[in-house]
């Protein structure tokens, strides 16, 4: 836990205390362990901009080595356009709207979260320690996901389309992290905490209405729908069975399974397609996961 701004020692201590409280709860809740090195860095928005853009570019180039899909001209153009959009909007995203951003660390078993104090202020996260706790838990779950999926390497190699915006990976990762942060904050505070309800600044509300920002908003909310998807899967097959997805690209939620969860998100019914498919698999004696016909 480090404050690279040199101006937020109190926030550094607060985040450190939260990490000491919640880190031991992560594996009992999710069944996932953390990387060998977990870093939380309080950074200026300029550092967030530079490192997030560099990580996006690095990841796109790494994917090209894993599957020729990422070398297709259309996919290359899409990646270039997305990176350009990010760079154009990154000051508002990193300095106003994004509560936290988790990315790989320098080493294979390392993961790091970047926190921008100004964004935590604008999003209202600093208005209540419980909001900050939820954000830290959510990002900590992403660290565990990074370790389990080897930073998405198997998915990028075998089911590359699932990583495109609006496809299965975003719903799995954000839904799983939202499910876990709700469970853990409920256990800590007696009720689940939702930082989305925190009081936003005028600057946040102004930026959120910009057309370019609105265009980034997904048609289906990966946090809400992803949580429904993950909760239903855990209720059907259990946490251990769900966790097989982190190392098996074939188990990622498909578009029709995400749509099924979206239909169930505002209803008392559970989605059935993805949990049913997970439930139709088993481990062989050799430990290899196979489908049952």
């Amino acid at each position: 836990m480090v404050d690279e701004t040199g101006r937020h020692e109190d926030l550094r201590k607060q985040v450190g205390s939260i990490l000491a409280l919640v880190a031991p709860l992560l594996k009992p809740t999710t069944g996932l362990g953390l990387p060998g090195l977990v870093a939380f860095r309080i950074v200026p928005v300029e550092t967030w901009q530079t490192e997030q853009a560099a990580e996006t570019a690095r990841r796109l180039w790494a994917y090209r080595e894993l599957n020729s899909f990422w070398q297709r001209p259309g996919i290359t153009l899409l990646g270039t356009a997305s990176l350009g959009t990010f760079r154009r909007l990154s000051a508002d995203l990193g300095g106003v709207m994004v509560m936290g951003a988790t990315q790989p660390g320098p080493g294979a078993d390392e993961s790091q979260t970047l926190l921008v104090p100004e964004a935590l202020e604008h999003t209202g996260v600093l208005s209540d320690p419980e909001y900050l706790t939820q954000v830290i838990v959510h990002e900590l779950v992403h660290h565990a996901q990074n370790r389990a999926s080897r930073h998405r390497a198997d998915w990028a190699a075998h089911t590359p389309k699932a990583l495109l915006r609006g496809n299965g990976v975003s719903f799995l990762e954000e839904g799983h992290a939202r499910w876990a942060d709700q469970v853990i904050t409920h256990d800590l505070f007696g009720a689940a905490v939702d930082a989305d309800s925190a009081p936003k600044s005028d600057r946040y509300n102004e930026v959120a209405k910009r057309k370019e920002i609105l265009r980034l908003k997904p048609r289906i909310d990966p946090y809400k729908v992803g949580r429904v998807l993950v909760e239903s899967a855990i209720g059907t097959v259990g946490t251990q069975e769900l966790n097989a997805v982190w190392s098996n690209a074939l188990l990622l939620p498909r578009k029709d399974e995400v749509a099924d969860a979206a239909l169930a998100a505002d209803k008392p019914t559970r989605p059935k397609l993805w949990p049913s498919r997970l439930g139709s698999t088993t481990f062989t004696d050799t430990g290899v996961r196979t489908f049952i016909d």
Side-chain angles (χ1 to χ4, degrees):
M1 184 65 238
V2 59
D3 171 22
E4 297 178 21
T5 70
R7 304 189 309 275
H8 296 278
E9 178 64 12
D10 288 347
L11 178 60
R12 185 191 70 80
K13 290 180 179 178
Q14 187 178 13
V15 173
S17 296
I18 292 171
L19 284 169
L21 174 68
V22 302
L25 306 178
L26 193 72
K27 191 168 186 178
T29 301
T30 67
L32 298 179
L34 289 166
L37 178 63
V38 170
F40 275 70
R41 299 164 53 202
I42 299 170
V43 300
V45 64
E46 294 81 10
T47 299
W48 188 94
Q49 290 176 273
T50 300
E51 293 197 17
Q52 284 283 280
E55 170 56 23
T56 300
R58 183 207 65 77
R59 183 171 285 185
L60 288 171
W61 278 104
Y63 288 171
R64 288 169 64 90
E65 300 297 317
L66 295 172
N67 191 303
S68 60
F69 170 86
W70 300 102
Q71 300 172 21
R72 296 178 184 178
I75 298 300
T76 300
L77 285 174
L78 181 63
T80 302
S82 297
L83 189 56
T85 299
F86 173 81
R87 284 175 170 150
R88 189 168 62 255
L89 300 176
S90 60
D92 284 334
L93 290 172
V96 179
M97 300 196 71
V98 176
M99 296 176 184
T102 297
Q103 62 189 38
D109 194 29
E110 299 178 15
S111 190
Q112 56 185 328
T113 292
L114 308 184
L115 300 172
V116 178
E118 292 82 357
L120 296 177
E121 288 278 5
H122 285 298
T123 56
V125 169
L126 296 185
S127 67
D128 190 318
E130 292 187 6
Y131 291 140
L132 183 59
T133 300
Q134 188 215 355
V135 170
I136 298 306
V137 172
H138 190 94
E139 298 305 322
L140 201 60
V141 176
H142 285 320
H143 286 268
Q145 294 169 351
N146 282 345
R147 178 178 181 269
S149 71
R150 296 186 303 120
H151 301 289
R152 301 176 171 178
D154 184 59
W155 302 340
H158 300 293
T159 55
K161 289 183 180 179
L163 273 73
L164 296 179
R165 186 170 180 265
N167 286 358
V169 166
S170 62
F171 290 92
L172 171 66
E173 290 181 335
E174 296 301 348
H176 179 256
R178 177 55 54 88
W179 162 76
D181 74 47
Q182 297 293 277
V183 170
I184 290 175
T185 56
H186 182 278
D187 289 346
L188 288 173
F189 306 121
V193 178
D194 183 6
D196 289 341
S197 64
K200 307 298 188 286
S201 71
D202 291 342
R203 175 61 176 157
Y204 179 99
N205 291 326
E206 174 193 336
V207 170
K209 294 175 183 177
R210 288 176 52 187
K211 289 183 179 179
E212 282 192 304
I213 297 293
L214 288 172
R215 279 198 289 267
L216 294 177
K217 188 175 182 179
R219 184 176 58 86
I220 302 175
D221 184 349
Y223 296 86
K224 178 180 179 180
V225 173
R227 178 189 170 188
V228 170
L229 196 65
V230 168
E231 282 183 337
S232 182
I234 291 172
T236 302
V237 302
T239 302
Q240 181 180 356
E241 294 289 285
L242 170 75
N243 284 341
V245 70
W246 304 108
S247 58
N248 188 336
L250 296 176
L251 298 178
L252 284 169
R254 300 167 180 163
K255 276 193 172 182
D256 61 328
E257 293 165 342
V258 170
D260 178 49
L263 288 174
D266 294 312
K267 299 177 181 178
T269 57
R270 285 183 171 184
K272 298 178 180 178
L273 294 183
W274 192 51
S276 294
R277 184 159 65 88
L278 293 179
S280 69
T281 62
T282 187
F283 287 101
T284 67
D285 291 338
T286 59
V288 177
R289 196 169 178 85
T290 58
F291 288 90
I292 300 175
D293 295 328

